[in-house]
Amino acid sequence: MILSTISQLELLLYNILAGVLTGVLFDVYRSIRGRCNNKIIVFIQDVLFWIFAAIIVFIFLFITNYAYMGFYCYIYIAFGLFVYLKIVSKHFLRFTSKTNRGIGKILRITVNNVSYIFGVFTYAFSKKKKKNKKYKNTLNKK
């Protein structure tokens, strides 16, 4: 199949972009996975991630270049992944770490505020119930 120069350049860019996409997916996976000591669980998670990443990259390449995969396509995907991991990955991981800490802080504050309000209401209602019982007891004695 003979491709024009523009088509070949598009294939090159899409394949490099597929490598970058794989790197982004890998960094997101690393930030979500956390630290797990069980090797079997880690192995299963890794296999599931790579199956998912392969499906996503295949869909991306199918949409952009009709899944035309020559040997050089794999080289360009590996090149895109390598460039992403060497240049962008540390900044992306720092960003996701700060974002996760910020979201965690917001969730903690929200849960603390809601539980405080719930505690105040339950305390007020339990105190009111005790006063009602005390009042009923004094009426029954008379």
Side-chain angles (χ1 to χ4, degrees):
M1 181 163 113
I2 299 175
L3 297 172
S4 67
T5 307
I6 298 296
S7 296
Q8 289 179 15
L9 183 63
E10 286 176 351
L11 285 174
L12 170 87
L13 293 176
Y14 288 141
N15 287 315
I16 291 173
L17 192 58
V20 170
L21 176 66
T22 305
V24 169
L25 290 173
F26 182 68
D27 280 345
V28 169
Y29 168 67
R30 277 197 302 187
S31 68
I32 290 172
R33 185 179 82 184
R35 301 194 189 279
C36 182
N37 294 334
N38 191 340
K39 293 185 186 274
I40 295 171
I41 293 175
V42 170
F43 176 75
I44 292 170
Q45 288 175 340
D46 289 347
V47 168
L48 290 175
F49 165 74
W50 285 111
I51 289 170
F52 173 74
I55 291 170
I56 295 297
V57 168
F58 177 77
I59 291 171
F60 174 76
L61 291 175
F62 186 74
I63 291 170
T64 57
N65 64 357
Y66 308 109
Y68 179 72
M69 295 295 291
F71 177 72
Y72 64 90
C73 292
Y74 295 108
I75 293 172
Y76 292 133
I77 290 172
F79 175 74
L81 180 62
F82 177 77
V83 168
Y84 172 81
L85 289 177
K86 288 296 181 185
I87 297 174
V88 181
S89 179
K90 57 187 167 195
H91 303 295
F92 185 77
L93 284 175
R94 191 177 313 129
F95 171 75
T96 56
S97 175
K98 286 181 182 181
T99 304
N100 288 341
R101 279 196 302 261
I103 290 171
K105 188 174 184 179
I106 290 170
L107 288 174
R108 276 194 314 275
I109 290 170
T110 303
V111 167
N112 287 340
N113 287 337
V114 168
S115 65
Y116 177 76
I117 292 170
F118 182 72
V120 167
F121 280 126
T122 56
Y123 177 76
F125 286 130
S126 66
K127 198 171 186 179
K128 191 174 183 181
K129 217 179 208 184
K130 286 181 185 177
K131 282 185 181 180
N132 286 341
K133 276 187 177 180
K134 194 174 186 181
Y135 179 71
K136 285 181 183 178
N137 288 338
T138 56
L139 288 178
N140 289 339
K141 288 183 182 179
K142 292 183 182 182

